[in-house]
Amino acid sequence: MATKSLKARNNDIANTQRQLEILSNGIFANGELPTFATKIKETNQFPLRPKKLEILQINLGYMCNQVCDHCHVDAGPDRKEIMTIETMNQCLEVIKKTGAHTLDLTGGAPEMNPNFRWFVEEASKAGIKDFIVRSNLTIIKANKKYHDLPDFFKKHGVHVVSSLPHYTKGKTDKQRGDGVFDKSIEALKSLNEVGYGMPNSDLKLDLVYNPSGAFLPGNQQALEQDFKKALKADFDINFHNLFAITNLPISRFLDYLIASENYEDYMTALVDAFNPSAVANVMCTNTISVSWDGFLYDCDFNQMLNLKVASKVQHISAYNEELLQNRNIVINQHCFGCTAGAGSSCQGVVA
Amino acid sequence: MSKNYYDAADLRKFGKIIEWNEELGTKFFDYYGKVFEDGALSAREKSLIALAVAHTEQCPYCIDAYTKDSLQKGITKEEMMEAVHVGAAIKSGATLVHGVQMMNIVNKLDS
Ligand code: SF4
Ligand code: SF4
């Protein structure tokens, strides 16, 4: 279990150009693995185009109290990239006038941004229908100053989406670090206590499951049932939905795939499981992702690969929804991760 | 030419058996698919049974496939090993219970 980000370790995978090189050529001889573009051309879905904008996803910074093995953000305590008040204000202007019904705050641990609470308060005034905060759970228990987060979330009617790789301690701690499971359980209990995740409660608490290694997620519904049964029986914990997401071959997960000699098999498995009907609903078709420094991306993954939107408008300060609607989505080999099997997005399966 | 009788990459080619006999191959895969659907037993339980049988049959392809399948279903390594022990117990029990036949024969023949 590493304790530092790839960036702090000067690992060459931290370089996005290097990641794109591996994804494009990798260990595959030219032509051995079809390109994502070729695959979607076969079903007349090229170029990939956005539909109506529904989700504005804002990354408040790459700082995190955890250093999970598979983090696609390469987040960690050593990452200093944090959204400034100035950029937050630019985001607020956009939130007020956007047609998107969902605001999705992510990170790193978004709560670690010193202006997080102010931003949530301001953004919640804008009357967004679904206001999501992606919380890693342990942050709630990491330090006294975060202990009241469940009440704070409740006050603003925030929809909490939390990652929990497994309902057993062994599998969770292996991926996320020693002690993460116990702290996550404690955090889930505090969320339940204020009403989050309870049956029929409007305080939405969803969990995100991602596989703990080089394999694809199984059936989302079956996993949700297993999680519900185990968390209820073992800890009396309630939650609403489970989103199963596929690990995309970028950043720390890419590093792991290469180091464990799983890269070739994993990419082949993703391509073999390519599901043309998942393409229409991939996340980038209804989302814009904003980075900590205000740049615009088709999705959080493209953000981490530094693939900005293919549009005249590339920064939140010049945001223009109409112009952005007119773009082609930037794709690469990592997109196979969103279209394998039942597909994968921040909201789980898409097909 | 591969130097091994078993090649992990061959597992991915399993579906190709249809090419040499479409009717029987298709019937087999339809049946196979149906067997592993949720039924009176859950798909999860079926994966554990398949994993145990893969070991008693000692089929490397099936072990590979059902280990991955178990991981995908969120099954823990402790559960997987227990399933393998169930297979092993039946296999050893089946060997030992034939000892009764040996005993019968010895008792009959050996005065
Ligand atoms: S996966 Fe989430 S919790 Fe883990 S290091 Fe990355 S941002 Fe932090
Ligand atoms: S990785 Fe991003 S751009 Fe590619 S398909 Fe997924 S959401 Fe779309």
Side-chain angles (χ1 to χ4, degrees), chain A residues 48 248 282-284 298-299 301-302 329-331 334-335 338:
Chain A
L48 197 54
L248 260 66
V282 282
M283 206 162 43
C284 48
D298 301 294
C299 69
F301 304 112
N302 281 6
I329 292 164
V330 180
I331 53 166
H334 62 300
C335 299
C338 293

Side-chain angles (χ1 to χ4, degrees), chain A residues 166-168 171 174 209 212 214-219 222-223 226 264-265 268-269 272, chain B residues 8 12 38 42-44 64 67-80:
Chain A
H166 203 263
Y167 50 79
T168 58
K171 272 176 105 83
K174 191 159 168 262
Y209 159 87
S212 55
F215 51 91
L216 307 185
N219 180 286
L223 283 163
D226 292 343
E264 188 178 3
D265 274 352
T268 310
D272 284 352
Chain B
R12 291 204 289 268
D38 268 316
S42 67
R44 190 182 199 278
D64 183 335
T67 303
K68 280 196 193 118
D69 187 66
S70 299
L71 286 169
Q72 289 187 353
K73 291 197 164 85
I75 294 170
T76 62
K77 57 180 194 284
E78 291 80 10
E79 291 172 299
M80 287 186 229

